[in-house]
Amino acid sequence: MRAVRLIKMVLLLQSRPSMTAAELARELEVSERTVTRDAQALSEAGVPVYADRGRAGGYRLVGGYRTRLTGLHRGEAEALFLSGVPGALREMGLEDAASAARLKVSAALLPSLRDASRTAAQRFHLDAPNWFKEPRTPALLPAVADAVWDDRRITARYRRGEDEVVRELEPYGLVLKAGVWYLCARVAGGASFRVYRIDRFTAVAAGEERFEREPEFDLPGFWEERAEQFARSILRARVVVRLSPDGVRALPYALDPVLAREALAGAGAADGEGWVRVELPVESEEVAHAQLASLGPEVEVLEPVGLRERFAADAARLARLYGRTGGA
């Protein structure tokens, strides 16, 4: 719509000393000829747009002109608070709203502060996904995000094991954890909140009915508590190990740091060689094998016997491998 484009052009010129036709065309996604026509239309409407001729020329506003069209819409203001997470904005379909919000804020700032967004971007960037994992955006994320912003109930079909279940949910909040999107929601009519992986949703339909959000609901606090509960709930096995001083220092890098520190705090006194006996909570023997293997000779597994035998077999294979003459 041309009216929206003209407003955006004024805001762009208000936020910078001057802009070339090429720069405006790129920002507005139009041709330079359209920029010329729009500038003329603004001038005829009383907006003092001045065109500097020549190679270094461009467009600028004359006489400290300020537009009052800088008020943020609610959606733009909400998106602005997420503007430091550009990937998340893009995946939720909020990139355009955030761009408009940043432009309005920039236009309202004093000239000396208008480069704040650029300087901040030069100093901070959030890269949420894990290393060596290709992030995949759930196809239904934008629909879920719309319902979250609008406090609308959704009917969701999601995979639970081999089955599919349908639930009417009150979507309270979204969490991006290590590249995976989660929905914190309450089943309609229920009292407790649950967490759903959005990539397991197979269908989402938002209704017209809005739910009344509990004002006391604290998304960061809820997620922190639920994440800790989940981390501890999967620790169904125990292993007993001896750790060298180097193994003690490396343990928080092999296991969850909080659990590692708790386990070390309950360890007994070091023996004559400086080794300590530690009991560790683990998800399973299989997972413990993978985690503790990274400690190499700085750990000795004492219990369970099956895991100790597995490490003994690993050690024997390594001895045979490295005992070969010349690596042949």
Side-chain angles (χ1 to χ4, degrees):
M1 183 180 292
R2 191 186 188 199
V4 174
R5 190 175 71 243
L6 291 175
I7 292 172
K8 187 173 182 179
M9 184 174 180
V10 173
L11 292 173
L12 284 167
L13 293 174
Q14 184 173 307
S15 65
R16 307 178 194 180
S18 67
M19 296 183 69
T20 66
E23 289 172 336
L24 283 167
R26 185 168 56 253
E27 291 281 354
L28 299 172
E29 299 180 349
V30 296
S31 66
E32 293 186 32
R33 181 172 296 182
T34 298
V35 168
T36 301
R37 288 198 296 266
D38 285 351
Q40 183 176 352
L42 287 171
S43 181
E44 292 173 354
V47 178
V49 178
Y50 180 78
D52 292 315
R53 306 298 179 183
R55 177 178 296 182
Y59 294 90
R60 59 186 175 87
L61 294 175
V62 180
Y65 178 84
R66 308 286 295 177
T67 176
R68 294 180 180 273
L69 299 173
T70 54
L72 293 178
H73 296 301
R74 182 176 187 83
E76 294 171 345
E78 291 169 334
L80 182 62
F81 286 101
L82 292 171
S83 59
V85 197
L89 281 168
R90 185 168 52 252
E91 293 176 7
M92 288 189 291
L94 296 173
E95 190 172 27
D96 290 342
S99 176
R102 287 193 296 268
L103 181 59
K104 290 182 178 182
V105 169
S106 180
L109 291 174
L110 294 173
S112 60
L113 299 177
R114 286 176 187 163
D115 66 342
S117 61
R118 179 181 60 81
T119 57
Q122 290 174 337
R123 290 163 173 80
F124 176 77
H125 174 68
L126 175 63
D127 185 9
N130 279 334
W131 286 104
F132 313 120
K133 288 188 178 180
E134 186 68 26
R136 295 182 179 178
T137 304
L140 296 174
L141 175 61
V144 176
D146 284 345
V148 169
W149 290 119
D150 211 23
D151 292 341
R152 289 188 184 276
R153 288 184 176 177
I154 60 173
T155 301
R157 180 185 296 273
Y158 69 96
R159 297 188 302 275
R160 190 170 68 181
E162 299 297 324
D163 303 321
E164 284 197 350
V165 181
V166 178
R167 291 285 185 272
E168 186 177 1
L169 301 175
E170 297 175 350
Y172 266 69
L174 293 167
V175 175
L176 177 60
K177 168 71 171 178
V180 180
W181 284 95
Y182 296 88
L183 173 67
C184 300
R186 184 169 60 182
V187 176
S192 61
F193 292 90
R194 300 180 182 179
V195 176
Y196 302 85
R197 277 186 61 142
I198 294 182
D199 58 7
R200 292 179 183 167
F201 286 168
T202 58
V204 171
E208 294 299 320
E209 183 181 0
R210 287 185 170 86
F211 64 90
E212 186 157 347
R213 177 178 289 266
E214 282 191 14
E216 302 301 320
F217 179 74
D218 174 22
L219 179 60
F222 167 77
W223 177 259
E224 182 178 1
E225 179 182 352
R226 186 56 58 91
E228 183 177 354
Q229 290 175 358
F230 173 77
R232 294 183 182 278
S233 70
I234 63 175
L235 303 176
R236 301 185 180 92
R238 291 287 187 275
V239 300
V240 180
V241 301
R242 287 178 70 238
L243 292 169
S244 71
D246 285 341
V248 169
R249 286 188 287 270
L251 187 65
Y253 299 97
L255 277 64
D256 177 89
V258 175
L259 295 175
R261 286 192 290 269
E262 288 180 357
L264 290 171
D271 61 20
E273 298 177 335
W275 288 57
V276 296
R277 181 186 176 101
V278 183
E279 182 176 333
L280 301 172
V282 295
E283 185 175 345
S284 65
E285 287 190 23
E286 185 74 24
V287 173
H289 178 261
Q291 293 174 326
L292 295 175
S294 65
L295 300 180
E298 309 305 326
V299 61
E300 177 190 1
V301 175
L302 302 178
E303 300 175 14
V305 174
L307 184 59
R308 179 179 175 84
E309 292 175 345
R310 189 167 183 172
F311 273 95
D314 289 346
R317 289 177 60 197
L318 286 171
R320 290 194 300 271
L321 181 65
Y322 287 98
R324 296 173 183 172
T325 302

